[in-house]
Amino acid sequence: MFEEKVIDEKRQGEVYSNNQSKDDGKKLFLESYGCQMNFSDSEIVASILDKEGYSTTTFVEKADLILLNTCSIREKAEQTIRKRLRQFNAIKKNNPKLLIGVLGCMAERLKDKFLEEEHIVDLVVGPDAYRDLPNLLEELEDGHSAVNVLLSKDETYADLSPVRLGGNGVTAFVSITRGCDNMCTFCVVPFTRGRERSRDPHSIINECKELWDNGYKEVTLLGQNVDSYLWYGGGLKKDFKKASEIQKATAVTFANLLEMVALAVPNMRIRFSTSNPQDMTRDVLYVMAKHDNICKYIHLPVQSGSTSVLKRMNRQHTREEYIQLIDDIKRIVPECALSHDMITGFCDETEEEHKDTLSLMEYVKYDFGYMFAYSDRPGTPAHKKMDDNIPLEIKKRRLSEIIALQQKHSRERMDSYLNKTHEVLIEGDSKKSDKDWYGRTTQNTVIVFPKTGNEKVGDFVNVHVTDCTSATLLGNKVQ
């Protein structure tokens, strides 16, 4: 299984719930694992169940319903879910009326096998079936099994107002696409989240405006691949080929959407994730450069620095094309920070191909990254057609080399911010001391600085950086 190390604070396997419980009524205990899309989906689930009389709680022993929103991208994530379900079933022995459900990608992958194999869940719901939760809960009350893992070609939950769970009241996610059409051979997402579809831009803008009106200062536009966002009155990218010339001329691309949001909420910070190198157009970069409220940070997964490995992965870009995109980013948005996803030990990876990854990292010098050893996932093209033939000890050694190099580059990037003043959005107290603030710069860099008593959560302040670690800037507010 994967050996992994995450540099930065990406939510991998983090337990997530929120307490907005009322004194009476039904209680929902909700935990989310994996990517930002799962956390965003959990807010949709909370919204749907709120209308059914459920309020969320952080106390599992008070719950009438426990839901786990799951990740299936790596084996370790699924092992974590199984362990957690065993813990919840121990609670259920003392409370037979307690209902336990699995949502998301793992539910979609295992489907009703979850009920057959595990015998520890009552409810299995895929990512496109959350609207059906009230009906499924009724079926449980009637003694029937409750499974809905049907994938949709048009579901975007655009008309639902998410319940903002457990956040800081300052930053929020806004989903703009669902699903993925990129059939990377290592990835299970197209099979667990379905075909790619885009959300009505007006609903996106309205959600961003509503967040601003409610005191939020930053949004992240979310999708498996935001750069392939396309709307012309329908949600599916494939329909664009059939569209008339008039429809094509009035289509909204991701660059268009990004500018629309930037103009609609001009004082709000705008981020986006995740980008796919093959789909990122230079128009997006020019929009980023044009608007100060669009953060100067791009998460740009590459997965490997070797063109031959990228071909086996069915990534629709080469090493050379990726480098050209990096060059254009640094030319058009020179202050832009970059992060990556990297997989080492993919099927048949040679030592020379591994060295290509290291040399690409040396060329780009990413601010931070998310690095993993390859994990064979059932149902993927790689699982069906390729051999996971790189020994674990070699995967571990290559991964450690990638991590060490990234740590070196991260420290170099942090050093480059020293003795400079940066605008920081205060997101809350520092984890280490309530006497210090925690915030981020436009480059998504974490910064910690002492409180002066004249600022609050949600404020934008200027901070002069005096020191740093490999992952955090340290400084003082400029008076």
Side-chain angles (χ1 to χ4, degrees):
M1 177 37 218
F2 276 77
E3 290 292 323
E4 63 181 76
K5 179 167 183 178
V6 177
I7 294 179
D8 190 45
E9 295 187 344
K10 191 176 184 182
R11 293 149 125 178
Q12 292 286 347
E14 177 185 319
V15 176
Y16 181 65
S17 57
N18 181 61
N19 187 2
Q20 55 182 53
S21 297
K22 303 165 187 174
D23 292 335
D24 53 6
K26 295 173 286 187
K27 300 294 189 295
L28 165 65
F29 184 87
L30 179 60
E31 287 185 354
S32 297
Y33 295 81
C35 69
Q36 292 172 329
M37 285 296 296
N38 272 9
F39 289 83
S40 179
D41 278 1
S42 289
E43 295 181 337
I44 291 170
V45 169
S47 175
I48 292 169
L49 291 179
D50 179 67
K51 294 179 175 61
E52 300 300 312
Y54 282 91
S55 59
T56 57
T57 178
T58 52
F59 301 102
V60 66
E61 64 275 7
K62 293 183 178 181
D64 301 288
L65 172 63
I66 295 175
L67 295 178
L68 275 71
N69 199 344
T70 62
C71 175
S72 207
I73 196 73
R74 279 174 283 280
E75 182 183 343
K76 183 177 180 181
E78 292 198 357
Q79 290 174 346
T80 301
I81 296 299
R82 293 177 190 275
K83 180 179 179 180
R84 195 66 170 132
L85 285 171
R86 287 193 292 271
Q87 294 171 347
F88 289 147
N89 269 261
I91 297 173
K92 187 169 184 175
K93 289 180 181 179
N94 298 320
N95 181 12
K97 293 183 179 180
L98 175 65
L99 299 177
I100 301 174
V102 173
L103 313 176
C105 293
M106 192 174 174
E108 189 65 44
R109 190 180 79 78
L110 293 176
K111 300 180 172 59
D112 50 5
K113 291 181 181 178
F114 226 123
L115 300 176
E116 298 169 5
E117 295 176 2
E118 303 294 334
H119 303 292
I120 56 176
V121 298
D122 305 292
L123 186 69
V124 181
V125 187
D128 288 348
Y130 297 144
R131 291 184 194 270
D132 198 31
L133 273 165
N135 296 327
L136 293 171
L137 290 171
E138 283 187 13
E139 290 181 13
L140 283 176
E141 291 179 1
D142 293 337
H144 303 299
S145 61
V147 178
N148 187 341
V149 290
L150 293 175
L151 291 173
S152 170
K153 292 184 178 180
D154 52 21
E155 179 62 86
T156 63
Y157 301 109
D159 60 317
L160 293 176
S161 180
V163 172
R164 302 297 169 178
L165 292 171
N168 52 24
V170 174
T171 63
F173 299 128
V174 175
S175 295
I176 68 168
T177 69
R178 297 185 70 84
C180 184
D181 287 349
N182 295 312
M183 299 297 291
C184 300
T185 57
F186 58 82
C187 187
V188 73
V189 168
F191 308 101
T192 59
R193 285 193 169 267
R195 295 298 303 274
E196 187 175 283
R197 59 271 192 197
S198 298
R199 178 180 167 187
D200 184 333
H202 301 293
S203 71
I204 295 169
I205 291 168
N206 288 338
E207 184 174 341
C208 292
K209 287 181 176 179
E210 181 180 335
L211 285 165
W212 175 259
D213 291 341
N214 288 327
Y216 286 81
K217 300 298 179 67
E218 177 183 295
V219 294
T220 299
L221 306 180
L222 278 185
Q224 256 73 40
N225 180 16
V226 293
D227 292 277
S228 61
Y229 176 91
L230 187 62
W231 178 271
Y232 62 93
L236 283 173
K237 184 170 67 173
K238 65 182 180 65
D239 290 339
F240 186 68
K241 297 175 183 177
K242 303 176 183 178
S244 68
E245 291 304 314
I246 294 176
Q247 286 177 309
K248 290 179 181 180
T250 58
V252 178
T253 66
F254 179 60
N256 299 144
L257 176 69
L258 190 59
E259 183 155 46
M260 290 165 67
V261 174
L263 292 171
V265 281
N267 295 313
M268 177 177 267
R269 272 189 179 179
I270 315 298
R271 299 187 187 276
F272 56 88
S273 185
T274 294
S275 294
N276 192 310
Q278 75 194 53
D279 293 313
M280 174 166 270
T281 66
R282 278 41 176 188
D283 287 348
V284 171
L285 303 179
Y286 286 115
V287 170
M288 290 181 68
K290 179 179 177 182
H291 296 280
D292 290 338
N293 62 326
I294 300 177
C295 291
K296 306 308 184 271
Y297 163 69
I298 300 173
H299 180 59
L300 195 64
V302 60
Q303 309 301 358
S304 173
S306 165
T307 293
S308 51
V309 173
L310 292 171
K311 185 175 181 180
R312 294 200 294 277
M313 289 178 167
N314 196 35
R315 300 285 289 174
Q316 301 300 308
H317 64 88
T318 64
R319 172 191 175 95
E320 293 72 26
E321 289 167 340
Y322 187 88
I323 287 175
Q324 183 59 59
L325 177 55
I326 293 294
D327 289 345
D328 289 342
I329 291 171
K330 292 183 176 182
R331 173 178 56 85
I332 299 169
V333 194
E335 69 274 36
C336 191
L338 292 161
S339 62
H340 66 83
D341 288 348
M342 200 74 75
I343 297 173
T344 190
F346 187 67
C347 308
D348 296 327
E349 184 185 63
T350 66
E351 198 63 27
E352 195 62 33
E353 289 169 333
H354 169 61
K355 289 179 181 178
D356 284 343
T357 291
L358 297 177
S359 68
L360 178 72
M361 292 175 67
E362 286 283 14
Y363 184 86
V364 179
K365 294 190 178 343
Y366 296 97
D367 289 63
F368 49 90
Y370 310 109
M371 296 148 283
F372 313 96
Y374 172 63
S375 175
D376 185 31
R377 305 307 294 132
T380 62
H383 175 76
K384 295 176 181 178
K385 300 178 181 179
M386 303 179 190
D387 292 328
D388 181 10
N389 54 5
I390 306 302
L392 181 59
E393 60 271 19
I394 293 179
K395 288 182 180 180
K396 288 183 176 181
R397 190 261 301 166
R398 290 176 182 173
L399 180 60
S400 67
E401 291 176 3
I402 289 172
I403 289 171
L405 184 57
Q406 183 55 59
Q407 288 177 325
K408 172 176 175 285
H409 291 159
S410 293
R411 182 60 196 233
E412 290 173 358
R413 290 290 291 162
M414 298 299 280
D415 286 343
S416 73
Y417 296 126
L418 289 173
N419 302 314
K420 297 176 182 177
T421 299
H422 305 267
E423 185 181 68
V424 177
L425 173 60
I426 299 176
E427 296 185 21
D429 290 344
S430 166
K431 292 181 179 179
K432 293 185 177 180
S433 173
D434 60 8
K435 295 181 180 179
D436 294 331
W437 289 120
Y438 159 92
R440 285 179 297 155
T441 68
T442 183
Q443 286 88 5
N444 206 33
T445 306
V446 173
I447 189 162
V448 172
F449 60 98
K451 296 179 179 179
T452 69
N454 297 321
E455 63 283 316
K456 62 184 183 301
V457 172
D459 283 350
F460 289 97
V461 297
N462 290 320
V463 178
H464 187 73
V465 176
T466 58
D467 201 357
C468 69
T469 68
S470 62
T472 305
L473 297 175
L474 306 172
N476 295 288
K477 177 185 172 184
V478 176
Q479 299 299 327

